[in-house]
């Protein structure tokens, strides 16, 4: 099977060229775009002639040939408020109930965050960064380092 060169143009200015087989899924095309442009897959929306390409379809499902230009729209990631409202709605809550539950959640999160020390925030931030990179924080040593207490 022959590979097809696709030119991906980001509406905000970035561009890359990728190669795919006709049997490559659109989701895999997005993975290739991520490797070139570092735009998270969930924030990518690919368009061909104004039509959104579905992740579960293949390149050959669309009128794509060698040298075809695809437009890449970068979707703004949802904020915590939007994600929470959507989640509560998925549980069967009404619009009003989901907004109220979201407001309570955000109030509790803010109160909890305000009680954290700078050290707690530093540890939380480091854990988040390590988690994103697939690493974990080293286990704390049970015994204090003797050099730490020496003069």
């Amino acid at each position: 099977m022959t590979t097809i060169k696709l030119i991906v143009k980001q509406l905000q200015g970035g561009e890359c060229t990728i190669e795919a087989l006709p049997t490559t899924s659109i989701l895999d095309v997005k993975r290739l775009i991520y490797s070139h442009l570092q735009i998270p897959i969930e924030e990518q929306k690919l368009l061909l002639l104004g039509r959104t390409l579905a992740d579960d379809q293949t390149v050959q499902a669309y009128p794509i040939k060698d040298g075809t230009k695809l437009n890449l729209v970068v979707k703004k990631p949802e904020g915590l408020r939007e994600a929470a409202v959507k989640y509560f709605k998925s549980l069967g809550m009404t619009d009003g109930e989901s907004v109220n539950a979201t407001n309570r959640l955000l109030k509790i999160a803010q109160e909890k965050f305000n009680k954290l020390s700078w050290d707690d925030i530093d540890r939380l931030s480091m854990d988040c960064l390590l988690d994103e990179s697939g690493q974990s924080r080293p286990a704390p040593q049970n015994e204090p380092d003797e050099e730490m207490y020496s003069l």
Side-chain angles (χ1 to χ4, degrees):
M1 231 178 239
T2 309
T3 60
I4 299 170
K5 285 189 180 184
L6 302 171
I7 301 163
V8 179
K9 292 190 69 106
Q10 183 180 350
L11 295 181
Q12 291 83 4
E15 181 175 318
C16 70
T17 302
I18 60 171
E19 292 187 10
L21 293 170
T23 56
T24 302
S25 72
I26 298 302
L27 181 60
D28 286 335
V29 169
K30 288 181 176 182
R31 288 184 179 115
L32 291 169
I33 293 168
Y34 174 76
S35 69
H36 284 81
L37 300 175
Q38 281 66 53
I39 297 170
I41 293 167
E42 61 274 4
E43 294 177 20
Q44 296 179 32
K45 182 176 180 179
L46 283 176
L47 303 173
L48 174 65
L49 304 171
R51 182 175 163 201
T52 301
L53 305 184
D55 288 348
D56 61 345
Q57 294 295 317
T58 60
V59 171
Q60 66 191 2
Y62 297 98
I64 295 174
K65 59 186 187 309
D66 196 48
T68 295
K69 290 185 181 180
L70 301 177
N71 290 312
L72 173 64
V73 176
V74 180
K75 300 183 285 185
K76 178 183 170 197
E78 288 182 336
L80 180 57
R81 178 176 299 281
E82 293 82 11
V85 168
K86 185 187 290 185
Y87 172 74
F88 289 129
K89 283 183 182 180
S90 76
L91 297 178
M93 291 184 177
T94 65
D95 287 348
E97 291 169 336
S98 60
V99 168
N100 288 337
T102 296
N103 289 338
R104 286 192 308 272
L105 171 70
L106 293 176
K107 182 179 178 190
I108 291 167
Q110 184 67 50
E111 289 170 356
K112 298 274 185 191
F113 191 80
N114 287 342
K115 292 178 183 177
L116 295 175
S117 69
W118 284 111
D119 287 338
D120 293 334
I121 294 170
D122 185 50
R123 279 191 296 277
L124 178 61
S125 300
M126 184 56 69
D127 286 347
C128 290
L129 289 172
L130 290 172
D131 186 54
E132 284 181 4
S133 66
Q135 301 174 1
S136 58
R137 185 172 2 135
Q141 297 176 349
N142 291 337
E143 299 176 11
D145 186 16
E146 289 183 17
E147 289 182 29
M148 186 169 73
Y149 297 109
S150 64
L151 296 175

